[in-house]
Amino acid sequence: FLCFFLCEHLYGNLLLYYNDHGHQYELYTHILTRTLLIRIIEYVLFAAFIIHAIDALMLTLANRNARPVGYAMQKQGANSSWNSRNMGLTGSVILFFLVVHLRMFFFPHRFLDVHGSMYQDVVDAFQDWRYSAFYIFSVICLGFHLSHGFQSAFQTLGLNNKNYASIIKMIGIGFALIMTIGFASVPIMFYFQIIK
């Protein structure tokens, strides 16, 4: 569900590439804020984020409790990737990013009744090098998180199989790369004024 959300959100962000002074993007954001079905999905999405974070925390605690005493010798790269060992770190960065991102774009227009241009808010935000750098860093963390999380989802659902595990892994890496490049391209294009 969260991967589908990312695809939909990337689609919306790519509307910023239209050379129409943000008209398509404004239309997209207007539909998102005015459609009842989208509003219902929004609540499901918030619940999914919260459940995902709580589930990850519970899994981390269960793993620590299963082996309270650490190994005498650490060979971290022997049985797991950097991505899998650092899901908590990348997830924490993503969570912090979400709070900042929602505070900048979602809450003012949804709850504070701000009627300004969402497109102009995006342009202004990406003219600030600090926010652009933070956004890109967060998207890179998202890419690492997705590259492991995508294939883990199949394993969690019992859909992983040795016959096609490598295919799922490659699709997961590809998906993570597409999301990372797609999202990171927007602040780069606006900051360096490639998009006018």
Side-chain angles (χ1 to χ4, degrees):
F1 181 76
L2 295 175
C3 288
F4 281 122
F5 161 74
L6 287 172
C7 292
E8 183 276 327
H9 193 48
L10 180 59
Y11 162 77
N13 281 12
L14 294 179
L15 292 174
L16 293 163
Y17 282 97
Y18 272 92
N19 190 17
D20 64 354
H21 305 288
H23 177 72
Q24 289 295 321
Y25 184 75
E26 289 290 342
L27 182 61
Y28 165 78
T29 59
H30 179 77
I31 290 168
L32 286 182
T33 57
R34 304 290 187 269
T35 307
L36 179 62
L37 178 62
I38 300 294
R39 299 291 293 268
I40 292 168
I41 292 172
E42 227 170 58
Y43 289 110
V44 174
L45 181 63
F46 281 124
F49 277 123
I50 292 166
I51 291 167
H52 182 67
I54 291 170
D55 187 48
L57 183 61
M58 289 174 60
L59 180 63
T60 301
L61 293 174
N63 285 342
R64 284 192 184 152
N65 290 337
R67 185 162 181 91
V69 178
Y71 291 104
M73 230 176 127
Q74 293 282 340
K75 290 186 179 179
Q76 292 183 337
N79 295 320
S80 62
S81 67
W82 184 91
N83 300 347
S84 66
R85 290 191 311 275
N86 290 285
M87 290 295 277
L89 174 65
T90 56
S92 297
V93 170
I94 295 163
L95 181 61
F96 180 68
F97 168 76
L98 279 174
V99 171
V100 172
H101 192 64
L102 290 172
R103 172 62 188 94
M104 286 185 71
F105 298 107
F106 179 78
F107 289 109
H109 289 271
R110 180 58 57 81
F111 298 110
L112 302 179
D113 208 25
V114 171
H115 294 294
S117 166
M118 182 73 85
Y119 176 77
Q120 191 58 51
D121 288 350
V122 170
V123 171
D124 293 343
F126 289 140
Q127 291 300 307
D128 182 345
W129 72 268
R130 292 165 299 183
Y131 184 73
S132 290
F134 172 61
Y135 188 98
I136 292 167
F137 173 72
S138 300
V139 165
I140 290 169
C141 287
L142 175 67
F144 284 121
H145 200 77
L146 283 173
S147 68
H148 177 71
F150 186 90
Q151 57 191 311
S152 292
F154 284 87
Q155 186 171 344
T156 300
L157 295 171
L159 301 173
N160 205 358
N161 182 306
K162 288 183 181 179
N163 296 331
Y164 49 84
S166 60
I167 295 169
I168 292 172
K169 183 176 182 179
M170 293 305 295
I171 292 171
I173 291 169
F175 179 73
L177 279 171
I178 290 168
M179 293 296 113
T180 303
I181 293 167
F183 281 113
S185 69
V186 177
I188 291 168
M189 298 295 264
F190 276 102
Y191 184 76
F192 291 106
Q193 297 185 358
I194 298 165
I195 298 175
K196 298 290 184 184

